[in-house]
Amino acid sequence: MFSFSKKIITICILLILILVSTFWIGRAHDVEQATYQAKRQVTQLNHYIDTELARFSAIPQLLTYNELMINFVSGEQQHYSVINNYLADIQQASGASDIFILNTQGAVTASSNWQADYTFLGSNFAFRPYFKRAFAGEKVAYFALGMRSKERGIYFSQAVYKDNKAIGVVVLKVNVSKFENDRELLNTSKGSHFYLQLADDVIAMSDIEGWRLNSFTELGIEARRDIKLRRAYLDHQPQYIKQLQFTSENIPHFKIDKALYVTSSMPLRYFNATMNLLVDVSKVNSAQVPRLFWAFIIYTLLIIIGYSLLTRFAGYKKLLYSRHSLELEVVERTQALEKVQTALVQSAKLATIGQLSAGINHEINQPLSAINTYLASAKRLLAKGNVTALNESLIVIEGLVERVHQIVGQLKHFSKPSDMQLRPYPLAGLVNNALMISSAQLKQDNVQVESPKFDETVVVWVDALKFEQVLVNLITNASQAMNGAIIRNLSFHLECFEERVKLSILDTGAGIEQHAFGNLFEPFYSTKSSNGLGLGLSISKQIIDSFNGCLSAHNRLEGGAEFIISLSSKESSNQANIEKTPTQENQND
Ligand code: ADP
């Protein structure tokens, strides 16, 4: 419960952080876009105005070279109507507001507006800097408020020369409202404004009427006196407009009333003034709301999907881990069990040795005491010089020593841990080898052997030497069991199944005694009075078990015993790997 609410809090904090980041990134992006827009628009605006001003500034210059103009200004020809009409034609064709000519005293002698009510004819503009400076030889572009029209305009003026002497001035006026009204050309949008600031910080042009001829700078006494003297704005005194200009993250900002703008400035090429463009960013914060809404939806979904994926992945990882550790545990346990099993087998063997040592003790002590007795008798016979009797005693001792040797020899099977390699061997070869080894015993007991005629392809998966040891033991037992019987016949019978073979060793002896069945495969169980140690069947069963086989015994109906060995065989698949038995190899040699 605690960890769940902790997770919820973490997710909420994460979401809030993401939304705050989204807000600031979105805001910075919008401000950057607005700044880019301001730069783009101010460049376009300046290009437009510069092109227009360049075009207008060329007209007075062209007029000063005009022969008709020079003759008129010099007073050689006084065709007033011709000149006035000429100036009116040029004014109309060029789109200028007025074109007029001043004589050496600054009086208007000809004007394009000669027929209008506000005609300049008769006026004197000697006080205007555009007259004085042009007369002094300067090519002038000057902003001023028209005396008669009361309209703001830019005056382009240039002196007319004759014989290298200024004889008058040609003036062209362009009303700046022409540019202000040309909104479409200016390509300004609702959210942007512009203003053209003159060198004296007075605003010459703006799309906002209240800013025109006022200033964003608090003009000092000196500046105001200068303005008054120049009479550029006649009797108008520029008012200070309160605003705040600052730079934030390298972007110039402009705050007026409650509106906030980003600005971009650029000076004009053909006129000493700076164009400023403002793009409104007042609503940049509220503009983030839809963005935040979608960000909230998307990030919430992403967090939910990511969280569920992570949970699943963690579960899957845990499952993999536990499966892996389970497998490891199984392997470890199996290895431990195998070790324990091997140790158990070994200790079982040793325990058996211990358990049976009493029996062995008895078995060995018996021949040893006999040896002792015979040795004492041999000493006496030697002293008497009875060589024949001495020789007989030594032969008996030799037999007794051999018996001890046999007893000890058979015990080695119990002390060694079984480590053998099972391989496919042809059964016929193994049985023939065993018969060959047992032939002396069989001959001694006068046993008839029915030689087995097994198919050479029948194989058994065994350790050849150990299997032969088992066969020799069973054949020897059978041979001994038939001792005293009238019919002494040893035969073999084979049954083949899909993956197993069943080999029977049959004899015609007295059969297994009924009471012996329970202990037949127990160590040291023997019914043989003299030479039976009782280890043969016990060892044989152990060997056959280690081949994943089975050794069993029962009495035959017709008399005699049958010992059955069942073993695995892979007749068809392992035929190619069949190895030759050692005897076969020897025979081939
Ligand atoms: P041992 O031969 O030294 O007695 P074994 O373990 O080989 O020891 O045999 C145990 C006993 O099983 C024999 O003493 C005998 O009583 C009985 N036995 C083994 N083979 C036969 C057989 N073919 N017929 C009758 N009894 C048998």
Side-chain angles (χ1 to χ4, degrees), residues 410 473-474 477-482 507 509-513 516 519-522 524-528 531-539 555 560-563:
Q410 290 196 45
N473 184 50
L474 295 178
N477 275 351
S479 179
Q480 287 171 353
M482 286 186 286
D507 66 56
I512 303 156
E513 291 170 31
N519 307 312
L520 206 58
F521 297 103
E522 292 296 318
F524 287 96
Y525 177 78
S526 176
T527 56
K528 293 168 194 167
N531 58 349
L533 191 59
L535 288 174
L537 284 181
S538 160
I539 292 168
N555 282 332
E562 178 179 4
F563 280 80

Side-chain angles (χ1 to χ4, degrees), residues 49-50 52-54 56-57 60 95-100 120 128 130 139-146 149 151-157 170-180 196 198 204-205 232-233 268 270-273 275:
I49 293 174
D50 270 332
E52 286 290 286
L53 294 184
F56 287 122
S57 71
S97 307
D98 306 287
I99 304 173
F100 51 98
F120 296 169
R128 290 288 205 187
Y130 61 74
K139 193 179 169 189
V140 181
Y142 183 78
F143 177 84
L145 191 62
S149 62
E151 284 194 24
R152 291 159 296 130
I154 296 173
Y155 295 80
F156 297 95
S157 59
V170 177
V171 184
L172 180 144
K173 182 190 174 189
V174 186
N175 278 351
V176 293
S177 55
K178 169 184 159 56
F179 305 119
E180 288 165 344
L196 184 72
L198 298 169
M205 256 199 274
Y233 318 119
L268 285 174
Y270 294 104
F271 192 62
N272 187 17
M275 182 63 75

Side-chain angles (χ1 to χ4, degrees), residues 144-410:
L145 191 62
M147 231 170 74
R148 288 203 167 247
S149 62
K150 302 284 186 267
E151 284 194 24
R152 291 159 296 130
I154 296 173
Y155 295 80
F156 297 95
S157 59
Q158 199 161 339
V160 182
Y161 289 92
K162 187 168 187 190
D163 302 331
N164 286 332
K165 195 180 162 203
I167 52 170
V169 172
V170 177
V171 184
L172 180 144
K173 182 190 174 189
V174 186
N175 278 351
V176 293
S177 55
K178 169 184 159 56
F179 305 119
E180 288 165 344
N181 296 332
D182 217 345
R183 295 284 303 199
E184 259 182 50
L185 268 175
L186 300 181
N187 196 22
T188 50
S189 62
K190 228 182 170 185
S192 65
H193 302 292
F194 73 91
Y195 65 91
L196 184 72
Q197 188 167 306
L198 298 169
D200 58 5
D201 291 343
V202 175
I203 296 164
M205 256 199 274
S206 174
D207 61 322
I208 295 177
E209 206 177 332
W211 295 0
R212 294 169 192 165
L213 292 181
N214 291 320
S215 178
F216 291 131
T217 311
E218 266 189 306
L219 299 170
I221 299 168
E222 277 297 312
R224 289 191 177 278
R225 191 181 296 147
D226 178 57
I227 287 169
K228 206 171 183 180
L229 273 174
R230 277 193 287 123
R231 294 204 70 217
Y233 318 119
L234 302 175
D235 296 329
H236 175 80
Q237 272 299 320
Q239 297 298 306
Y240 170 62
I241 307 167
K242 223 175 157 189
Q243 55 20 89
L244 180 69
Q245 294 187 41
F246 60 94
T247 302
S248 168
E249 288 165 8
N250 283 332
I251 297 169
H253 283 68
F254 187 99
K255 198 172 181 188
I256 186 163
D257 298 329
K258 281 178 183 170
L260 180 71
Y261 302 92
V262 288
T263 75
S264 185
S265 307
M266 195 185 237
L268 285 174
R269 283 173 67 193
Y270 294 104
F271 192 62
N272 187 17
T274 304
M275 182 63 75
N276 295 276
L277 210 125
L278 315 176
V279 174
D280 196 349
V281 289
S282 313
K283 290 182 180 136
V284 74
N285 289 349
S286 54
Q288 305 308 313
V289 173
R291 194 174 272 160
L292 285 180
F293 172 75
W294 287 113
F296 176 78
I297 300 281
I298 290 166
Y299 286 125
T300 307
L301 281 175
L302 281 178
I303 286 173
I304 291 170
I305 292 168
Y307 180 74
S308 61
L309 281 177
L310 273 178
T311 317
R312 277 187 189 194
F313 181 68
Y316 178 68
K317 226 169 128 186
K318 212 170 158 186
L319 198 77
L320 274 185
Y321 177 75
S322 48
R323 188 190 289 176
H324 180 67
S325 50
L326 203 72
E327 279 170 3
L328 275 181
E329 205 175 320
V330 167
V331 170
E332 276 170 16
R333 290 261 175 102
T334 311
Q335 282 172 351
L337 273 175
E338 277 170 359
K339 272 184 195 167
V340 169
Q341 200 181 7
T342 315
L344 267 177
V345 169
Q346 189 63 11
S347 44
K349 284 179 182 175
L350 290 171
T352 312
I353 293 269
Q355 188 191 344
L356 302 178
S357 59
I360 297 164
N361 198 26
H362 172 74
E363 288 297 323
I364 293 176
N365 269 345
Q366 209 184 358
L368 283 179
S369 345
I371 288 169
N372 224 7
T373 314
Y374 276 102
L375 278 175
S377 139
K379 273 184 196 167
R380 279 197 305 274
L381 291 170
L382 186 66
K384 282 180 190 168
N386 190 345
V387 179
T388 317
L390 177 66
N391 196 35
E392 280 170 8
S393 291
L394 286 177
I395 287 167
V396 174
I397 289 170
E398 197 178 34
L400 289 167
V401 169
E402 176 57 24
R403 175 150 177 77
V404 173
H405 184 70
Q406 272 180 7
I407 293 165
V408 174
Q410 290 196 45

Side-chain angles (χ1 to χ4, degrees), residues 37-154:
Q37 185 192 332
K39 278 183 186 158
R40 189 166 44 82
Q41 285 187 354
V42 81
T43 310
Q44 283 176 353
L45 196 54
N46 272 19
H47 179 71
Y48 163 68
I49 293 174
D50 270 332
T51 312
E52 286 290 286
L53 294 184
R55 189 165 65 83
F56 287 122
S57 71
I59 295 168
Q61 190 174 5
L62 287 172
L63 287 174
T64 57
Y65 297 135
N66 188 298
E67 200 65 34
L68 181 71
M69 193 65 61
I70 295 167
N71 288 339
F72 174 78
V73 176
S74 65
E76 283 177 17
Q77 286 177 355
Q78 295 294 308
H79 305 296
Y80 287 100
S81 59
V82 175
I83 287 294
N84 282 334
N85 281 326
Y86 178 60
L87 293 177
D89 287 347
I90 293 173
Q91 176 263 320
Q92 273 193 354
S94 64
S97 307
D98 306 287
I99 304 173
F100 51 98
I101 294 163
L102 305 173
N103 64 13
T104 50
Q105 275 77 47
V108 179
T109 52
S111 176
S112 60
N113 56 21
W114 62 286
Q115 282 179 315
D117 297 343
Y118 62 89
T119 182
F120 296 169
L121 286 174
S123 301
N124 191 300
F125 296 126
F127 70 94
R128 290 288 205 187
Y130 61 74
F131 168 73
K132 290 182 204 163
R133 281 162 51 192
F135 203 73
E138 210 180 313
K139 193 179 169 189
V140 181
Y142 183 78
F143 177 84
L145 191 62
M147 231 170 74
R148 288 203 167 247
S149 62
K150 302 284 186 267
E151 284 194 24
R152 291 159 296 130
I154 296 173

